[in-house]
Amino acid sequence: LDYALGNKGIDKIILLSPVDMIFRFKARVKDRYDDYINLAKTKVEEGKGLEMLTEEFSAQKIYSTFRYGSKADTLAIEENRKNRILEYYGHIDIIKGTNDHVYGDYSKEYIDEVFAHEFSNAILEIKNIVNADHSYKGFEKQAAALLTDSIVKMLK
């Protein structure tokens, strides 16, 4: 998504289980979020961006992906961040499961509303797979069919 936002020639995208990267990181680290962002900034400025700050993420990854205003700060589902409209004017299909953990306790209706607002400049279609989780386990055929339909539609 962030690549398409920066390249106006991309006028059709399919998002499969799109994630608010900042929301997810905050959910993992909880009240240590600001500490991680500040430490990551310091490490990057010191030339130590590859140093691991968690078991999964380096300072560079944390600073470039999980801080407000970073290039990956594209989807925003938290109430205090949800009122922006992204500058994308093409076609977007979103395929997601209604039981996807990446949306926390937010309802399907709330997430759909947020995406519809963020992409109000775009031609948007949201395709929900009822009861599917982030990996679509048990719903692989349904996810594949929706993805195939989206690809065919985008190729026309």
Side-chain angles (χ1 to χ4, degrees):
L1 174 59
D2 56 314
Y3 185 80
L5 288 169
N7 293 277
K8 302 301 181 205
I10 298 174
D11 63 352
K12 297 173 185 168
I13 58 176
I14 300 168
L15 301 176
L16 188 60
S17 301
V19 177
D20 176 344
M21 299 300 287
I22 294 171
F23 173 76
R24 287 300 304 148
F25 186 68
K26 286 176 72 176
R28 288 180 178 184
V29 300
K30 302 192 183 338
D31 60 349
R32 296 197 58 213
Y33 174 79
D34 290 332
D35 295 334
Y36 275 114
I37 297 301
N38 292 331
L39 180 58
K41 180 181 183 209
T42 299
K43 294 291 183 184
V44 168
E45 288 172 347
E46 293 173 346
K48 298 176 183 175
L50 297 179
E51 187 174 314
M52 298 299 288
L53 299 187
T54 71
E55 286 185 19
E56 299 173 282
F57 303 118
S58 68
Q60 181 65 44
K61 177 68 174 178
I62 290 171
Y63 193 69
S64 66
T65 305
F66 304 130
R67 78 179 155 80
Y68 296 112
S70 68
K71 190 173 184 179
D73 184 8
T74 49
L75 299 175
I77 66 173
E78 297 168 290
E79 291 91 347
N80 63 332
R81 299 172 51 226
K82 73 174 189 170
N83 289 322
R84 64 183 173 179
I85 298 173
L86 297 173
E87 294 292 322
Y88 184 80
Y89 298 91
H91 294 259
I92 299 175
D93 279 3
I94 294 176
I95 301 169
K96 63 183 183 61
T98 61
N99 286 351
D100 196 329
H101 70 279
V102 301
Y103 306 120
D105 293 330
Y106 292 114
S107 70
K108 175 197 84 65
E109 293 77 16
Y110 174 83
I111 297 300
D112 289 353
E113 175 188 310
V114 168
F115 288 159
H117 181 78
E118 284 185 312
F119 294 114
S120 59
N121 289 325
I123 299 165
L124 175 67
E125 186 173 349
I126 299 173
K127 302 173 181 184
N128 287 294
I129 301 176
V130 176
N131 296 323
D133 62 16
H134 195 67
S135 66
Y136 301 97
K137 185 173 183 178
F139 298 88
E140 296 89 349
K141 288 182 181 178
Q142 195 174 353
L146 289 175
L147 185 57
T148 301
D149 289 346
S150 289
I151 292 168
V152 169
K153 178 180 81 176
M154 298 286 181
L155 291 174
K156 291 182 179 182

